[in-house]
Amino acid sequence: MRKKLGFVAAFALAVLLLVTVGALEASDEDAAQQAIDGSRMAADRGAFSAGAAEDMKNLKTEAGKIGPLLHGLYLERTAPQRAEALRKSGGQLSAVSLPVEGGLVLIDAIAADNAQHLLADLEAMGLKDGSSYGRVVSGRMPVERLGDLNAMGNLVSAAPSLNSKNVGLVTTQGDVAQASDVARSTFGVDGSGVTVGTLSDSFDCTGAGGGAATDVGSNDLPAGIVVLEDLADGCTDEGRAMMQHIHDVAPGSSQAFHTAFTGTAGFANGIVALQQVAGADIIVDDVIYFAEPMFQDGPIAQAAQFVADNGSAYFSSAGNQSFNSWETTDGFVGSGITAPFGGELHDFDPGTGVDIFQEFTLLPGSTVFSFQWDQPYASAGSLTGSASDLDVYLFVGGSFVGIGGFALNVGGDPIELFGVNYSGPPLVIQIAIANFSGPAPGVMKYVTFGSDQRFGGGPIEYATNSATSYGHSNAANMAGVGAAAFFNTAAFNPGVCE
């Protein structure tokens, strides 16, 4: 079986490599404020009625500890008419829907005090497949119980646990491209005595190609693979494809697998278990959780650091986001202009003018924004959490379209995470950032993920073309590994420099 593959995990002579494959320019603050005020009442421009706009504004506070994404999902199940009224009527833009299976949604919750106590309390409310790591509890929560989380005294906040595999097309030329075939024949090494642990979505869940047993019979996988935890549904068996390539390059190695798709805590525990239980000398993954901290080591990075400190080599996909990122080290710059939900809007203009919008080209498909700033993360163990509450708004033609990040951040994580679906030709949207409350942060950054990431899109105004690798793949003592198409390597294209 040869499947789609994001991160080809392979090693030769203890080296693991990857081989695969408009805007409002506001020079006058009063005019800019009038545009924002007008966008609140933009029914004639196809955005919202006045009542729906005011209702959405109230949702920021009403959502409380579970944030607008989970609260919106809760309303869809418990108050569908109200949820529909809050959506943009018609058009080609919509907020990305959260994945729900069997009435359950995967969440990450931050404990105010004791994560084990929070885990027990959430399990009593119906949490499935729960686990904890540090202050974070992850698991699949019944959607109809989300509204009850706000009353939990031991809960700081809860958010949907969203992730992505860094995928590409499988080829079998990687062995030759990275010269691991030469290493085997020249030095007589084949991985014997080494155990490689893999984390991805699943190993033997889909049954495609006859399943893992067929792969063992065809010598595409070794016998005796240790599977610590696997998914039962919602899977692609990306992990099995990665492990096939490990076997191609290092056929003498032993292998183990643990899913990375049971939330932040589940991923972190899986990293540790691969070393401590399965004895993995090398651990690889092709996964990023969008809410992994950019400015501090979160639970996943802490777990990866733990196994590295205890002798395992850790390799993770650096991602496929190219330069789809914006950041500023100048901090939040107040514009004197009030945001739709309150607070002050950021001034993007580095000069004497005032520009509350950053133009951004949106291409068809789903695009996820992870926006963060440099303040403490409760999920990483901080007892204070974020000191500020920032919001992100999306506008089209100067009108707010009801999509963005509006969670209550103070005491929790300095993160706003949201996504947008779009169908149609390339569309210029505007991004606005607001400081709802708290001190101005010193550094702000966002990274975007989506189906358009390799083909353009992203900031077209005030672009910084910043780095997009963050989270555990960017932590100390980790190796973030990039991808190279085999035909762009020296083995297949002598004119290419290595």
Side-chain angles (χ1 to χ4, degrees):
M1 182 184 76
R2 295 291 185 234
K3 296 178 58 62
K4 293 193 71 178
L5 173 67
F7 179 60
V8 180
F11 74 95
L13 203 56
V15 175
L16 191 74
L17 298 174
L18 172 70
V19 181
T20 61
V21 75
L24 172 66
E25 289 287 344
S27 59
D28 182 276
E29 294 184 10
D30 290 337
Q33 185 67 66
Q34 290 173 7
I36 290 292
D37 291 341
S39 75
R40 296 175 180 169
M41 306 287 289
D44 59 327
R45 285 178 277 182
F48 293 101
S49 68
E54 188 64 24
D55 198 8
M56 173 166 262
K57 179 179 178 180
N58 294 334
L59 280 179
K60 177 176 172 66
T61 302
E62 179 186 315
K65 295 179 180 181
I66 66 172
L69 294 179
L70 289 179
H71 186 65
L73 178 62
Y74 175 68
L75 288 180
E76 288 179 8
R77 295 298 179 96
T78 61
Q81 291 183 337
R82 185 179 177 213
E84 181 62 29
L86 290 167
R87 296 193 188 98
K88 181 177 183 293
S89 56
Q92 296 172 305
L93 286 175
S94 62
V96 170
S97 298
L98 301 180
V100 177
E101 296 181 5
L104 303 171
V105 60
L106 186 64
I107 68 167
D108 291 328
I110 303 173
D113 182 16
N114 187 301
Q116 287 297 318
H117 291 170
L118 178 60
L119 174 60
D121 292 342
L122 290 173
E123 288 177 335
M125 298 171 65
L127 184 78
K128 304 296 184 184
D129 304 321
S131 62
S132 67
Y133 193 94
R135 292 183 65 187
V136 176
V137 174
S138 301
R140 298 187 298 156
M141 191 72 192
V143 173
E144 66 271 12
R145 297 302 304 271
L146 290 174
D148 299 328
L149 301 187
N150 275 319
M152 300 184 70
N154 192 26
L155 177 70
V156 172
S157 63
S161 188
L162 302 173
N163 58 40
S164 175
K165 302 186 301 295
N166 294 303
V167 299
L169 291 178
V170 164
T171 69
T172 58
Q173 290 88 346
D175 195 25
V176 174
Q178 66 186 17
S180 47
D181 60 334
V182 176
R184 288 195 305 274
S185 61
T186 302
F187 301 107
V189 294
D190 66 354
S192 295
V194 175
T195 298
V196 183
T198 298
L199 296 116
S200 187
D201 67 332
S202 62
F203 170 69
D204 196 15
C205 172
T206 66
T214 298
D215 289 341
V216 172
S218 63
N219 198 31
D220 285 316
L221 286 174
I225 291 175
V226 177
V227 179
L228 297 179
E229 186 176 341
D230 202 359
L231 292 183
D233 50 36
C235 48
T236 67
D237 285 358
E238 172 97 357
R240 179 152 48 114
M242 294 168 64
M243 295 165 76
Q244 290 170 352
H245 283 260
I246 294 170
H247 188 59
D248 286 344
V249 174
S253 66
S254 302
Q255 295 199 47
F257 177 82
H258 195 293
T259 181
F261 270 44
T262 54
T264 293
F267 189 0
N269 284 317
I271 292 171
V272 175
L274 280 173
Q275 181 192 66
Q276 300 293 304
V277 179
D281 304 289
I282 295 173
I283 299 175
V284 300
D285 76 69
D286 67 339
V287 177
I288 184 171
Y289 276 75
F290 300 135
E292 289 190 53
M294 297 178 183
F295 300 102
Q296 193 173 353
D297 279 352
I300 298 170
Q302 292 169 11
Q305 187 64 55
F306 173 83
V307 298
D309 290 344
N310 284 278
S312 295
Y314 199 109
F315 299 84
S316 178
S317 169
N320 301 318
Q321 283 64 248
S322 183
F323 295 110
N324 287 354
S325 174
W326 169 87
E327 67 178 67
T328 177
T329 58
D330 293 331
F332 182 91
V333 179
S335 65
I337 299 169
T338 304
F341 295 173
E344 186 178 15
L345 286 166
H346 173 67
D347 177 14
F348 285 94
D349 192 333
T352 58
V354 176
D355 193 348
I356 58 173
F357 291 151
Q358 178 191 38
E359 289 188 342
F360 184 102
T361 299
L362 194 65
L363 299 185
S366 297
T367 301
V368 173
F369 291 76
S370 181
F371 171 73
Q372 304 187 28
W373 56 99
D374 62 340
Q375 292 180 357
Y377 293 74
S379 65
S382 169
L383 298 179
T384 59
S386 178
S388 300
D389 183 356
L390 271 60
D391 295 328
V392 184
Y393 300 87
L394 297 190
F395 289 73
V396 176
S399 293
F400 175 46
V401 296
I403 298 173
F406 320 115
L408 293 171
N409 308 108
V410 174
D413 281 354
I415 298 174
E416 290 291 353
L417 184 66
F418 64 96
V420 57
N421 293 320
Y422 174 63
S423 59
L427 175 69
V428 175
I429 63 173
Q430 297 96 37
I431 295 173
I433 299 171
N435 185 0
F436 185 79
S437 67
V443 182
M444 301 185 298
K445 179 182 180 74
Y446 68 73
V447 176
T448 62
F449 303 79
S451 57
D452 60 338
Q453 59 199 16
R454 301 185 189 188
F455 310 106
I460 59 175
E461 187 180 29
Y462 310 116
T464 59
N465 297 324
S466 301
T468 55
S469 183
Y470 70 93
H472 69 285
S473 69
N474 205 35
N477 298 323
M478 303 300 105
V481 186
F486 74 91
F487 48 80
N488 283 330
T489 64
F492 290 87
N493 188 346
V496 173
C497 295
E498 292 194 82

